[in-house]
Amino acid sequence: GVQTCALPIYKIDDEPFTQLESGTSFEVKVPLATMTDNEHTVTVYAVDVNGVKGEETTRTFRISLEEPKGAIVTPTIDSSVRGLVDILGEASDKNGISRVEVSLDNGNSYNETEGTEEWKYTVDTRVIPGGTQVVFLRITDNYGITGLYSSLINIDNQAPDISLDFPLDDSSTDGELVFSGYAYDNVGVTKLYATIRNMEHTSDAIIKNLNVDLVLSEIVDLRDLPDGLYNIELTGEDNAGNKTN
């Protein structure tokens, strides 16, 4: 018998048809650098030695040139959080985002967020050990390609520890009041102040800011206050908003 070879012809998407070498089989190599993300088509037909054209066959294929991108927007690494916290972030990919997942147990388990390109995940930090923790972010695009990212979150559910040695209860002063004690926090005290209220007359409380230090030793001038009985409350706050009175 006589063996004949067909002439294969193909095109990608809407580009012009390209003729290949004749043969019973063929291979088309297309550099990824010449392609774009999303769906594409390849169309092929063959022409025999008599010039008769066969039917066109079209196949769809998908391309993802890079992993989906994503990041945590808030909370930032320089802040501390406590209680129920909304972790907010963003994700993007030319092929679209299928889902975003967050892990707070070193990647052992993941929970899906609310939203995709802009997403939110609410976590109760009281069930997580305090300190700096790693947040893993797993993003999957619509073609199943996954990107993995990480960030840090500072958790602080512990209120400052405050001890006041002076002034003593029922003590008297001629205008200068000595504050002595200590103020400690596992992350750090950011604000320390005394609230002074007149117990005999209704009036607005007076706030006296104190120096933030582990050892409290400060003299507060109260000579501008009228004589009377006062209640003094010492308050310490940390960066996460935990407060001790």
Side-chain angles (χ1 to χ4, degrees):
V2 178
Q3 184 176 4
T4 61
C5 294
L7 185 65
I9 300 174
Y10 82 97
K11 72 171 182 176
I12 302 293
D13 295 330
D14 295 325
E15 296 178 357
F17 279 100
T18 300
Q19 181 177 306
L20 298 171
E21 294 183 1
S22 61
T24 56
S25 64
F26 65 91
E27 180 183 61
V28 178
K29 293 183 178 181
V30 180
L32 276 179
T34 65
M35 304 296 294
T36 59
D37 288 281
N38 296 311
E39 287 189 346
H40 298 271
T41 59
V42 56
T43 302
V44 179
Y45 68 90
V47 178
D48 66 18
V49 293
N50 296 316
V52 178
K53 175 184 175 181
E55 292 185 2
E56 294 183 1
T57 300
T58 300
R59 293 289 184 268
T60 300
F61 61 96
R62 294 173 170 179
I63 288 182
S64 182
L65 295 175
E66 59 182 13
E67 295 178 348
K69 298 288 190 296
I72 293 175
V73 177
T74 59
T76 57
I77 185 58
D78 58 349
S79 64
S80 296
V81 297
R82 65 186 179 96
L84 286 174
V85 174
D86 287 337
I87 301 176
L88 306 179
E90 56 191 16
S92 62
D93 189 85
K94 292 180 179 179
N95 295 318
I97 301 298
S98 171
R99 64 183 179 275
V100 178
E101 299 164 291
V102 169
S103 173
L104 284 156
D105 59 0
N106 295 317
N108 292 316
S109 64
Y110 282 86
N111 295 304
E112 194 163 346
T113 65
E114 299 177 32
T116 51
E117 280 79 9
E118 294 182 355
W119 55 266
K120 178 179 77 170
Y121 180 71
T122 303
V123 59
D124 188 349
T125 63
R126 291 169 293 188
V127 301
I128 302 173
T132 302
Q133 301 293 337
V134 179
V135 181
F136 286 101
L137 185 62
R138 187 167 66 187
I139 304 172
T140 305
D141 69 13
N142 286 329
Y143 292 171
I145 305 299
T146 299
L148 187 62
Y149 304 91
S150 65
S151 184
L152 298 176
I153 184 174
N154 293 315
I155 297 175
D156 180 14
N157 287 294
Q158 182 177 338
D161 181 14
I162 295 178
S163 175
L164 189 60
D165 299 325
F166 293 100
L168 299 174
D169 285 340
D170 299 323
S171 59
S172 299
T173 178
D174 58 0
E176 290 187 339
L177 190 63
V178 176
F179 281 87
S180 179
Y182 70 83
Y184 169 79
D185 187 75
N186 60 323
V187 175
V189 177
T190 57
K191 186 183 296 184
L192 192 64
Y193 56 92
T195 304
I196 304 170
R197 295 181 177 87
N198 191 316
M199 305 298 292
E200 299 173 332
H201 304 284
T202 302
S203 59
D204 293 336
I206 298 172
I207 305 296
K208 295 286 187 179
N209 292 315
L210 304 176
N211 293 324
V212 176
D213 206 343
L214 175 61
V215 177
L216 174 61
S217 179
E218 191 166 345
I219 298 175
V220 177
D221 190 351
L222 302 179
R223 287 175 294 185
D224 56 341
L225 297 180
D227 293 342
L229 180 64
Y230 290 86
N231 173 265
I232 298 178
E233 182 179 70
L234 182 64
T235 303
E237 297 183 18
D238 62 19
N239 195 41
N242 298 301
K243 181 187 299 185
T244 299
N245 295 325

